[in-house]
């Protein structure tokens, strides 16, 4: 544009140069003003920051936490419909740290990710295992518990199910709760054993006691707790599980919220509060709750 003006100026008589420059400057000013008016709304929309999940939770004044209520010691729905366990306690502590109220939202292992994607809750806390399929749709906090899958069976048969090779035999009935990592692990590793679907994760261990299934493979921490609740059952090498897994908070893809939750968890662990709460729920007297 400047080159064009200079070329144009050289071709004009001197007496007309001044008026031509003035006209050109006015034309450029008008064009700049017009472009500014047209582009300003779009530029503003392009750079306008979107509120983070953390900001939305604080603005709403409520933290919505999805939980299954069927997984002791992490989350259990008592007969009075209250959610108790490690994760409801942790969720209440997180809500206090955020300065908001807590709303616990029932979900299930089968519908957990669909409920998350349908925005039924902000985060989920229920002894949730970190896996790559879930990671495709969501983020996880820093892990707060390390675990792995191991068998639980009638004590009289525990020597029969020490290895996956012993378990994966015709006639062996392995019970699973649909939709969770227990089912996934069983289906990935068993080809000859019979997999029995049972959709009530609260009473699933009673099925083994009653002889309707031979064993279940679940997280080592759960086998220890259920063996305490059912004297007929034994946790099989819980200190040497078949695989490695971690439990964490399921989060939306929001860095502000993840950083907050990770820092909150770090402070909870460093203060010793997390270990105290976990010990409480591992030693909790569940006998006055059904199953």
């Amino acid at each position: 544009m400047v080159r064009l003006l200079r070329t144009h100026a050289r071709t004009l008589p001197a007496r007309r140069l001044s008026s031509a420059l003035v006209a050109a400057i006015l034309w450029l000013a008008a064009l700049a003003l017009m472009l500014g008016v047209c582009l300003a709304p779009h530029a503003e929309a392009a750079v306008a920051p979107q509120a983070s999940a953390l900001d939305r939770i604080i603005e709403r004044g409520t933290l919505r936490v999805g939980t299954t209520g069927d997984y002791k010691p992490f989350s259990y729905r008592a007969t009075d419909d209250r959610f108790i366990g490690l994760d409801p306690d942790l969720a209440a502590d997180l809500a206090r740290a955020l300065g908001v109220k807590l709303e616990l939202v029932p979900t299930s292992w089968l519908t957990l990710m669909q409920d998350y994607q349908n925005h039924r809750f902000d985060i989920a806390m229920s002894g949730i295992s970190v896996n790559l399929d879930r990671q495709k749709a969501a983020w996880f906090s820093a892990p707060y518990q390390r675990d792995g899958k191991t068998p639980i069976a009638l004590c009289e048969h525990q020597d029969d199910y020490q290895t996956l090779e012993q378990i994966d035999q015709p006639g062996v009935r392995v019970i699973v709760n649909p939709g969770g990592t227990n089912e996934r692990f069983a289906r990935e590793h068993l080809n000859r054993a019979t997999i029995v679907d049972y959709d009530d994760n609260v009473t699933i261990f009673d099925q083994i006691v009653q002889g309707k299934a031979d064993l279940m493979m679940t997280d080592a921490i759960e086998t220890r707790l259920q063996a305490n609740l059912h004297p007929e059952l034994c946790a099989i090498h819980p200190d040497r599980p078949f695989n490695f897994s971690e439990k964490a908070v399921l989060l939306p893809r929001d860095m502000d919220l993840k950083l907050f939750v990770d820092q909150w968890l770090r402070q909870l662990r460093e203060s010793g509060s997390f270990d105290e709460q976990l010990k409480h729920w591992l030693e909790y007297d569940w006998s006055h709750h059904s199953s």
Side-chain angles (χ1 to χ4, degrees):
M1 180 62 70
V2 172
R3 182 180 299 173
L4 179 62
L5 288 176
R6 287 175 177 171
T7 302
H8 182 61
R10 285 196 297 267
T11 62
L12 291 175
R15 64 179 180 273
R16 297 179 57 193
L17 182 59
S18 178
S19 60
L21 284 174
V22 171
I25 292 170
L26 291 174
W27 178 79
L28 287 173
L31 178 62
L33 180 61
M34 180 180 66
L35 288 174
V37 170
C38 293
L39 296 177
H42 302 284
E44 184 178 352
V47 301
Q50 184 178 2
S52 69
L54 176 63
D55 292 335
R56 292 195 298 271
I57 290 168
I58 293 173
E59 183 178 356
R60 187 198 310 134
T62 304
L63 173 66
R64 302 171 304 164
V65 178
T67 194
T68 62
D70 62 356
Y71 186 10
K72 302 169 186 173
F74 296 101
S75 174
Y76 181 72
R77 196 169 190 172
T79 52
D80 59 1
D81 274 347
R82 287 184 307 116
F83 286 97
I84 61 175
L86 175 65
D87 281 324
D89 275 6
L90 292 177
D93 190 279
L94 176 57
R96 284 192 294 271
L98 287 164
V100 299
K101 296 179 181 179
L102 173 65
E103 178 186 349
L104 294 173
V105 179
T107 186
S108 71
W109 296 112
L110 196 59
T111 64
L112 173 67
M113 295 310 297
Q114 188 62 51
D115 289 343
Y116 160 76
Q117 291 174 322
N118 289 339
H119 307 290
R120 291 196 61 234
F121 44 75
D122 302 305
I123 66 174
M125 301 174 68
S126 201
I128 298 172
S129 297
V130 177
N131 67 41
L132 296 180
D133 278 345
R134 290 169 178 163
Q135 187 84 45
K136 291 175 185 176
W139 283 358
F140 285 96
S141 70
Y144 60 78
Q145 206 260 335
R146 178 172 176 163
D147 216 339
K149 303 299 181 188
T150 205
I152 182 170
L154 289 172
C155 292
E156 59 195 271
H157 298 312
Q158 60 178 314
D159 291 340
D160 300 330
Y161 306 125
Q162 293 289 316
T163 67
L164 283 170
E165 184 179 2
Q166 288 178 301
I167 293 170
D168 192 20
Q169 296 296 327
V172 176
R173 300 163 299 168
V174 180
I175 197 165
V176 301
N177 51 318
T181 55
N182 292 338
E183 180 190 22
R184 176 185 293 274
F185 182 83
R187 296 194 185 280
E188 285 178 351
H189 292 86
L190 304 181
N191 297 305
R192 292 174 291 177
T194 300
I195 296 177
V196 179
D197 287 329
Y198 187 79
D199 60 5
D200 184 357
N201 204 41
V202 174
T203 61
I204 196 168
F205 297 95
D206 296 331
Q207 300 295 298
I208 305 173
V209 174
Q210 296 167 15
K212 297 178 181 178
D214 297 309
L215 72 143
M216 179 177 179
M217 291 184 291
T218 185
D219 296 320
I221 189 172
E222 186 175 33
T223 64
R224 288 188 174 101
L225 186 144
Q226 291 296 335
N228 289 334
L229 296 177
H230 300 87
E232 308 94 330
L233 301 180
C234 281
I236 300 173
H237 52 67
D239 55 332
R240 293 179 289 106
F242 290 139
N243 70 345
F244 162 78
S245 67
E246 293 176 314
K247 300 192 180 302
V249 182
L250 183 77
L251 298 169
R253 293 171 172 173
D254 182 272
M255 185 56 71
D256 289 348
L257 183 59
K258 175 173 168 54
L259 289 173
F260 187 94
V261 172
D262 284 352
Q263 183 60 31
W264 162 76
L265 269 173
R266 178 177 174 81
Q267 292 183 6
L268 208 64
R269 299 204 67 137
E270 292 298 324
S271 69
S273 178
F274 177 87
D275 290 338
E276 291 174 5
Q277 292 185 57
L278 178 59
K279 183 174 184 293
H280 168 75
W281 289 109
L282 286 174
E283 298 176 352
Y284 182 73
D285 181 9
W286 299 92
S287 60
H288 56 283
H289 298 290
S290 60
S291 298

